[in-house]
Amino acid sequence: MRSRYALAVAGVAVAALTGLATPASAASAPAATALGPAATVIGIEFVNANFQGATYTVTGGNCTATTSDVDYYINSMPGGWNDVISSFRSYANCYTKLYENSNRWGSTYGFVGDSSYVGDAMNDRASSIEWS
């Protein structure tokens, strides 16, 4: 079984946060998080619908072929990225699931490969994410 990585809520740095920008300034400095040693993009989150606006890129490794397990997750969005996601793309065999609250709790949207709009119920409400 392969190892899985996560960004811990309590500030334990399993991931390296680099160039973290708020959505308003992300055009000049996009945000990124690494959830493992691999430099494979597993997801890109967008502030606006239709894959527009500021981006938040997450890297890890390939996801497994099933959505019955969780390969990667972020329990609490980094500064400037809580409650701002409107669309996303998934990569490396991953599917994305958004949660309304931190610690992967509350209303959800997903598992979905790509979403040009997360819908009115989840728009600007994501506080944690899973990839499977």
Side-chain angles (χ1 to χ4, degrees), residues 110-128:
F111 285 107
V112 177
D114 291 345
S115 179
S116 63
Y117 181 61
V118 298
D120 291 342
M122 188 56 77
N123 187 45
D124 295 337
R125 293 192 175 135
S127 295
S128 54

Side-chain angles (χ1 to χ4, degrees), residues 7-24:
L7 179 63
V9 176
V12 177
V14 176
L17 297 175
T18 59
L20 200 54
T22 60

Side-chain angles (χ1 to χ4, degrees), residues 44-124:
I44 300 176
E45 318 313 311
F46 296 84
V47 170
N48 299 327
N50 298 313
F51 317 113
Q52 299 293 309
T55 61
Y56 175 64
T57 301
V58 181
T59 61
N62 289 331
C63 289
T64 58
T66 177
T67 57
S68 64
D69 65 347
V70 176
D71 295 298
Y72 300 95
Y73 62 92
I74 295 176
N75 276 335
S76 183
M77 297 303 292
W81 283 93
N82 189 55
D83 297 337
V84 297
I85 296 170
S86 295
S87 61
F88 60 82
R89 292 201 185 269
S90 304
Y91 300 94
N93 201 39
C94 295
Y95 291 89
T96 302
K97 186 175 195 175
L98 303 178
Y99 285 84
E100 180 180 17
N101 301 314
S102 296
N103 298 315
R104 298 175 290 146
W105 183 83
S107 298
T108 63
Y109 176 81
F111 285 107
V112 177
D114 291 345
S115 179
S116 63
Y117 181 61
V118 298
D120 291 342
M122 188 56 77
N123 187 45
D124 295 337

